[in-house]
Structure formats: structure tokens, C-alpha cells
């Protein structure tokens, strides 16, 4: 018997709950027991009519009474934590709520009920957060996906969803996930980042920022390339701030996550098939439909398949200033992947025709990378200059050169221009956008 256990006057033992910081299974069992008893005693229909604050207070009162009835000895800190946990179970996403409230966390990675990692400042950390069991985790996953009318079960064991704040969610459950349900949440800042924030984080230089803002304002078609978690969507959000508020913007995504600040934004999202395998709406269908909606600009969150062809055709037929992202390790790889995706449209176009489509539609490819120290940097800005002998030609305008890694693991290097004056400068000048020629001086180096 624990030293914290106490004898009651009737001879029974009053059992103390274990420390909440230990992640002990007994605490999880106590929370589950109190939660289940709460559901039995509470008038759920009356609760539905209560405001959020009133409902939280009602849950607090019921839990306090249940703790007295259970004769559990816990201190004030533990009592408050237990109340918060049960409030989160009823009103929120259970153990995930404290992590979602932490603004320093960019990713939440749940590897079954007993292991939760988070990413802070580009580095993964194991947390003390635990779910009661895999059934508990499945309940939370179902709560997330059902909010937006999607489902996850044995017949459809993978799902993409989003949280109310725009955070992207992916879940995969058994039988595909062998050890238990897996949940990945990509967080997005409540306050969208600005170009000034990227400059402060040294993700790019002042000159590079001026060029990117000028390209967006001049309605140049842009492809942002990078690996998973490199910051492609964040950069797309930041660059979109340079779009004039007078333009009509249509965004197309698998899971809505863009946070454009303009007033005239139309957001479209794909739909997976229903349980009968019907009703699917793909990105390609949305891109085609968007052309009938009088867009000034079309922004595709990420191209993954045959929609690449429709997007390129839109760029080549008057919808200038369109932007999208793609998974690739280099700008050249990005063009190769784009070419492969055009082939997925099923039209069997000759390679030269596909490359002509790409080279005439895309003007600039931006490569962003998450480096070994966790920092995201724009490592290359290249201009697509045309087609020569079936080869798409490119010239690099800005580059980040890594020189090494210091003792603490921080990447060392510098940004600089290559000295090439890009062809798009003519377009910027005709649109009244003036840039200091010194931004292309290769002698200027910025760490």
C-alpha cells in the first residue's frame, strides 16, 4: 500500500492516485473511470444547450463530486489536471489539447497510444503525453475526421482532414498500421507568418524577399519545390500576401490549409469517395471547374497527379500569377516530376510537347529546404528560360551555399546572388516594379 493511501473511519482504504507527471497507467484508468461515470450522470441534452464556459464549469462540478464519491486522495494540482483532462475529453481532443495549445509545436506525431512526438524548432522530441489505449486514440481520430464529414474504418483506413484552425491531419489505422493507429498533425500558426518573419529567421535575404514580392506583384507563374516539412506551404502563404486585394483568388487543395489574407478568396477542397466508392472529386476536376469561376489567380496547394496538365494549360491561357508547390529535392527534379505528372493525365503527349508546356507556363522555381539544424531556408531561386534541343534550360539567380556545421550542430553558410541578371526583370519593369540592381551583385554575401 502506498504511503499516500489513507484508512477511513469504517476501516476501508482511501486510495491515492499516482502523480500525474508519471504517465502512470493507474492515472489513465482513474481518468477513464471518472469520464465514463460523468457520461452516465450528466444530462447530455441539457449540456448541448450550454455555452462553452458554462459547460466547462458544469463538467468541473460533476468531476469534483465524482472524486469525492470515489474517495480518491489527490492534491489540488492533480485535481485541477484531472478536471482539465476530462474537460478536454468531452469538449476537445483529449490528450492532444495541451499540445495544440503550445504555439512552439509545429508537428504532433502520434505513434499508437503510448508514444507521442512533437517537433519544436525543427527537432523531434518525445513527450509524456499518452492515450489510455488504442481504442481511445481511435475515438479521438474519429472525432477529428467526422467534423468535416469524413470517415476512417477498416474499409477506408487512411484519411486526410483538418482541424478548425487549419492544421493538417493525416490518420492511418489497422490493418494498414500494424502496431496501432497513427496520427500526424501539421500545425499552422494562428497568426500567419509574414516576409519579415522569414527575414528574422534568416530563411532568405532582403534582396531575395524583394525579388519574390516583385514576382508575385508582376503576376509571374511560380513553382515552389521542397521536401516534406520544408515549409513550402508557409512560403506560399507568405508570398501570397503580395497579391493585390482587388484580385479574385481561387485556392485548390486536398486538405484546406492555406491562410490567404485577401478578402476575395474562394477556397475549394477535394472530396474522397464515399463508402460505396462514389462521389470522389479530384484536384483535376476542381482545377477545371475553377476556370469557369472567373479567377484572376489560381493557387493549387500541391500538384500530385494529372491536375498538373490542367494547371499548366490555365497558366498558358491567361491565368497569370498562378502558384503551386511540388515535392522535389532540386529545381531540376521538380521539373522532371512535373513532366511525369503531366504524363499521368493520360493524353500520351510527346516529351517535347510536355516540356514546351512547362517551359512556357513556369517562369521561376523556388527551392526551399529544411536543413540538418531544423531551420528552413530558401536554398535556390532559378529562372526557367526556355527549351533548347528538348532540354528545359534554367539559370540560377540566388543560392545558399552551406560551408559546414559548427560544434552545436548549426549549419554554417551564406546566401548570395550568382551575378546573372534574370530575364524576368523586363517583365517587372514593364509592370512598374523597380528593384535595386545591387541585389544581383554576387559580391554581397549574407550568413
Amino acid at each position: 500500500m502506498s504511503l499516500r493511501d489513507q484508512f477511513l473511519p469504517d476501516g476501508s482504504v482511501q486510495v491515492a492516485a499516482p502523480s500525474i507527471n508519471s504517465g502512470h497507467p493507474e492515472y489513465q484508468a482513474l481518468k477513464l473511470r471518472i469520464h465514463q461515470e460523468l457520461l452516465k450522470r450528466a444530462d447530455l441534452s441539457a449540456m448541448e444547450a450550454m455555452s462553452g464556459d458554462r459547460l466547462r464549469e458544469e463538467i468541473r462540478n460533476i468531476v469534483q463530486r465524482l472524486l469525492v464519491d470515489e474517495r480518491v486522495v489527490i492534491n489540488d494540482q492533480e485535481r485541477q489536471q484531472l478536471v482539465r483532462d476530462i474537460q478536454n475529453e468531452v469538449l476537445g481532443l483529449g490528450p492532444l489539447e495541451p499540445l495544440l495549445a503550445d504555439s512552439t509545436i509545429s508537428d504532433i506525431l502520434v505513434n499508437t497510444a503510448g508514444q507521442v512526438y512533437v517537433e519544436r524548432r525543427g527537432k523531434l522530441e518525445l513527450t509524456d503525453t499518452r492515450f489510455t489505449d488504442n481504442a481511445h486514440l481511435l475515438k479521438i481520430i474519429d472525432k477529428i475526421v467526422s467534423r468535416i464529414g469524413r470517415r476512417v474504418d477498416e474499409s477506408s483506413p487512411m484519411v486526410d482532414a483538418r482541424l478548425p484552425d487549419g492544421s493538417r491531419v493525416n490518420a492511418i489505422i489497422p490493418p494498414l498500421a500494424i502496431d496501432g493507429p497513427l496520427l500526424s498533425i501539421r500545425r499552422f500558426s494562428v497568426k500567419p507568418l509574414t516576409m519579415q518573419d522569414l527575414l528574422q529567421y534568416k530563411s532568405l535575404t532582403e534582396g531575395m524577399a524583394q525579388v519574390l514580392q516583385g514576382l508575385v506583384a508582376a503576376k509571374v507563374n511560380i513553382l515552389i519545390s521542397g521536401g516534406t516539412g520544408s515549409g513550402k506551404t508557409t512560403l506560399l502563404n507568405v508570398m501570397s500576401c503580395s497579391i493585390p486585394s482587388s484580385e479574385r483568388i481561387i485556392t485548390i487543395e486536398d486538405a484546406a490549409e492555406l491562410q490567404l489574407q485577401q478578402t476575395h478568396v474562394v477556397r475549394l477542397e477535394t472530396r474522397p469517395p464515399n463508402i460505396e466508392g462514389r462521389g470522389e472529386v479530384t484536384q483535376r476536376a476542381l482545377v477545371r471547374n475553377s476556370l469557369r469561376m472567373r479567377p484572376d489567380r489560381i493557387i493549387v496547394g500541391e500538384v500530385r497527379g494529372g491536375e498538373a496538365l490542367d494547371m499548366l494549360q490555365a497558366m498558358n491561357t491567361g491565368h497569370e500569377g498562378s502558384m503551386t508547390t511540388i515535392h522535389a529535392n532540386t529545381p531540376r527534379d521538380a521539373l522532371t516530376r512535373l513532366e511525369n505528372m503531366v504524363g499521368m493525365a493520360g493524353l500520351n503527349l510527346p516529351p517535347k510537347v510536355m516540356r514546351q508546356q512547362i517551359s512556357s507556363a513556369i517562369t521561376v522555381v523556388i527551392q526551399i529546404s529544411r536543413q540538418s539544424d531544423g531551420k528552413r531556408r530558401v536554398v535556390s531561386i532559378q529562372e526557367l528560360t526556355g527549351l533548347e534541343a528538348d532540354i528545359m534550360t534554367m539559370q540560377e539567380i540566388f543560392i545558399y551555399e552551406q560551408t559546414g556545421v559548427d560544434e552545436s550542430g548549426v549549419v554554417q553558410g551564406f546566401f548570395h546572388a550568382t551575378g546573372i541578371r534574370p530575364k524576368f526583370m523586363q517583365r517587372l519593369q514593364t509592370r512598374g516594379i523597380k528593384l535595386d540592381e545591387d541585389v544581383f551583385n554576387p559580391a554581397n554575401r549574407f550568413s
Side-chain angles (χ1 to χ4, degrees), residues 124-158:
L124 288 176
E125 303 173 8
L126 180 63
T127 70
D128 293 330
T129 300
R130 299 290 184 272
F131 291 81
T132 305
D133 51 30
N134 284 335
H136 181 203
L137 175 54
L138 274 171
K139 180 182 175 183
I140 297 298
I141 291 173
D142 187 63
K143 184 182 287 189
I144 292 172
V145 301
S146 61
R147 284 176 174 174
I148 60 170
R150 298 192 177 181
R151 63 186 178 85
V152 59
D153 51 38
E154 282 193 11
S155 62
S156 180
M158 294 186 295

Side-chain angles (χ1 to χ4, degrees), residues 147-360:
R147 284 176 174 174
I148 60 170
R150 298 192 177 181
R151 63 186 178 85
V152 59
D153 51 38
E154 282 193 11
S155 62
S156 180
M158 294 186 295
V159 66
D160 287 315
R162 67 179 183 277
L163 298 179
D165 66 358
S167 297
R168 186 173 64 198
V169 177
N170 175 267
I172 181 167
I173 67 171
L176 299 187
I178 297 173
D179 298 321
L182 307 174
L183 177 66
S184 305
I185 301 177
R186 171 68 51 82
R187 300 287 313 287
F188 291 99
S189 174
V190 175
K191 180 183 176 183
L193 295 180
T194 65
M195 191 65 79
Q196 194 59 43
D197 292 320
L198 297 189
L199 290 171
Q200 183 179 344
Y201 299 148
K202 296 185 177 180
S203 296
L204 73 176
T205 67
E206 183 71 43
M208 294 165 69
Q210 291 177 14
V211 170
L212 295 184
Q213 290 171 328
L215 290 170
V216 175
K219 302 193 75 171
V220 171
N221 294 328
I222 297 171
L223 179 65
I224 300 174
S225 168
T228 301
S230 59
K232 299 185 297 297
T233 302
T234 298
L235 181 60
L236 185 59
N237 266 321
V238 170
M239 291 175 59
S240 70
C241 294
S242 300
I243 299 176
S245 58
S246 59
E247 295 186 14
R248 175 176 170 87
I249 307 166
I250 297 181
T251 67
I252 299 168
E253 303 171 84
D254 272 334
E257 54 188 345
L258 291 171
Q259 298 172 294
L260 273 63
Q261 302 304 299
Q262 288 79 358
T263 55
H264 199 163
V265 177
V266 178
R267 305 169 71 206
L268 305 179
E269 185 180 54
T270 61
R271 186 176 70 185
N274 60 20
I275 194 168
E276 291 86 17
R278 300 175 182 174
E280 181 181 17
V281 179
T282 64
Q283 278 201 136
R284 187 173 189 187
L286 292 179
V287 171
R288 287 178 174 178
N289 189 79
S290 70
L291 301 179
R292 306 183 185 99
M293 299 173 67
R294 198 261 178 219
D296 287 310
R297 302 199 193 214
I298 299 172
I299 298 180
V300 181
E302 181 183 334
V303 286
R304 292 190 177 95
E307 69 273 5
L309 176 62
D310 300 279
M311 183 195 68
L312 292 175
Q313 290 178 336
M315 290 177 172
N316 280 323
T317 54
H319 299 93
E320 299 173 319
S322 297
M323 296 184 285
T324 188
T325 72
I326 191 170
H327 271 86
N329 293 325
T330 67
R332 176 62 64 180
D333 288 347
L335 296 183
T336 302
R337 283 208 69 213
L338 197 57
E339 185 179 343
N340 292 337
M341 291 175 187
V342 171
M344 293 168 64
L347 295 184
N348 295 321
L349 297 174
K352 185 174 182 178
V353 174
M354 289 192 288
R355 291 165 190 169
Q356 284 175 334
Q357 285 268 2
I358 295 171
S359 60
S360 60

Side-chain angles (χ1 to χ4, degrees), residues 38-180:
L38 167 71
L39 296 178
K40 291 177 183 177
R41 295 195 186 187
D43 185 347
L44 298 180
S45 59
M47 283 186 164
E48 288 179 356
M50 296 181 184
S51 65
D53 291 341
R54 179 72 184 89
L55 185 54
R56 281 188 171 272
E57 186 60 32
E58 183 66 21
I59 292 172
R60 176 186 296 277
N61 293 337
I62 296 175
V63 171
Q64 298 279 21
R65 290 197 298 269
L66 289 173
L67 288 175
V68 172
D69 293 346
E70 288 274 336
R71 294 180 172 179
V72 177
V73 178
I74 53 177
N75 60 39
D76 287 341
Q77 179 189 0
E78 293 169 339
R79 186 182 298 270
Q80 292 172 10
Q81 181 64 57
L82 185 62
V83 169
R84 280 196 299 269
D85 284 350
I86 294 177
Q87 287 173 333
N88 290 337
E89 288 291 339
V90 177
L91 304 176
L93 299 179
L96 297 178
E97 285 295 327
L99 303 181
L100 292 170
D102 188 341
S103 61
T104 66
I105 293 175
S106 57
D107 282 275
I108 301 172
L109 308 171
V110 183
N111 303 336
T112 72
Q115 190 180 70
V116 180
Y117 282 88
V118 298
E119 180 187 292
R120 285 189 176 92
R121 294 173 288 277
K123 297 291 186 180
L124 288 176
E125 303 173 8
L126 180 63
T127 70
D128 293 330
T129 300
R130 299 290 184 272
F131 291 81
T132 305
D133 51 30
N134 284 335
H136 181 203
L137 175 54
L138 274 171
K139 180 182 175 183
I140 297 298
I141 291 173
D142 187 63
K143 184 182 287 189
I144 292 172
V145 301
S146 61
R147 284 176 174 174
I148 60 170
R150 298 192 177 181
R151 63 186 178 85
V152 59
D153 51 38
E154 282 193 11
S155 62
S156 180
M158 294 186 295
V159 66
D160 287 315
R162 67 179 183 277
L163 298 179
D165 66 358
S167 297
R168 186 173 64 198
V169 177
N170 175 267
I172 181 167
I173 67 171
L176 299 187
I178 297 173
D179 298 321

